Amino acid sequence: MSTNASSAADPLVALGSLPGVPDAVDSVRKAVDRVYGHRVMRRRSNEITSEAALRGARASAALSGADWALEEVRRRTDFGSESEARTVGAALRLTAEAGQLLSIWRQSPLRVLARLHLVAAADSGDTVGRPRLHGEPVDELLIELPVPDADEVAGRLEGLSQLIIAGSSAPALVTAAVVHGELLALRPFGSCNGLVARAAERIVLIGSGLDPKAICPAEVGHAEQGRAAYAAALDGYVSGTPEGMAAWITFCGRSVELGVRESTAVCEALQRGAA
C-alpha cells in the first residue's frame, strides 16, 4: 500500500477521508440497501445469490482473458481442456470457495490467500499456494506493471495481513479496494493473481456485512467498465498518491454499484417470471 497512507495510525481510515471517497461509500451503501430491499429478495434470495456468483465469476474470468458469454459459462461442464476454459473454471471455483473462507479471513488472511491460489491454480506444482520466491516468474500478462521482488511482496503481504487482523473502522468499500489493489500490484503468486485479488475483494465485501448474501458482484462492474479503465484505475492505486488512491477506491465503488444494477435486473426478471 502507499507509503503516504501508511503513515496514519489507521491507513484505511485515512484513505476513507480522501476527496470523493465518502461520497462513493455513501452511494454504494444506498445502492446495496435498495437491492436488499427488493421484494424478490424476501422470497428468492438464494436464487439471486447463485446468479450473482455465476455472473461475478464470468466477469472475473473475462478480466483475465476468458470473455465467455454468460450462457456458455452456465451450460459448460468441461473446464480443463484449454487455457480459457481453465480460467473460467478457476473463477467459478474461487467464487464458490470464497464463501467458505469468511470465518478464517479475519484471523489468517495469508492462509486464505494461499487457499485461493491453490483452488485457482488447481495443480500440484511446488509453486502453488505460496508467494513466489526470488527468480520465479509471474504469468499475468494482462497486468502490465513492474513486478515487485519477492522481498517486497513478503513485506507488503505481511503488512496487509496485519491491517486485516487488527481490524479497522474504515468502510468496507475502502478495505475491499485496498485488498484488491494491493494483490494486483504485488502479484504475489506465479499465476491467477487477478482472479485471486477479485475473490479476496468479494470476501471482504461479504464478510464486512456490506453484502452478506453475496448479491452485489463487484467483478461484474469491473468488467463492465472495461479492461482499459480497470488498468488505469490500478495505475492510480500503484502511484500511491492521494488522487490515485481515491480514484481506485471510487472505481471499485462504481463496480459494486454496477454489480447491484445487475442483480436488480435479475430480481426484476424473476418478479416478471422471465427467469
Side-chain angles (χ1 to χ4, degrees), residues 140-231:
E140 202 76 41
L141 298 179
L142 298 175
I143 301 176
E144 298 177 355
L145 291 168
V147 180
D149 66 28
D151 287 339
E152 181 178 353
V153 168
R156 287 172 62 175
L157 278 180
E158 182 60 29
L160 181 64
S161 175
Q162 291 306 313
L163 275 178
I164 299 302
I165 292 169
S168 174
S169 60
L173 171 64
V174 173
T175 304
V178 166
V179 167
H180 183 178
E182 193 73 353
L183 293 174
L184 286 180
L186 293 177
R187 279 144 294 159
F189 303 108
S191 62
C192 303
N193 289 287
L195 295 172
V196 168
R198 290 183 289 274
E201 178 187 48
R202 167 179 282 268
I203 287 172
V204 175
L205 293 172
I206 298 169
S208 67
L210 177 65
D211 181 22
K213 293 183 182 292
I215 62 168
C216 307
E219 305 96 324
V220 168
H222 296 317
E224 187 170 332
Q225 293 186 82
R227 212 178 284 164
Y230 187 62

Side-chain angles (χ1 to χ4, degrees), residues 1 20 37 81 94 99 102 104 108 112 119-120 136 138 162 181 193 221 237 252 254 263 269:
M1 193 175 10
S81 58
L94 283 173
L102 298 174
I104 305 172
S108 186
V112 169
V119 168
E136 291 182 342
V138 176
Q162 291 306 313
N193 289 287
Y237 178 87
C252 291
R254 178 61 180 155
S263 287

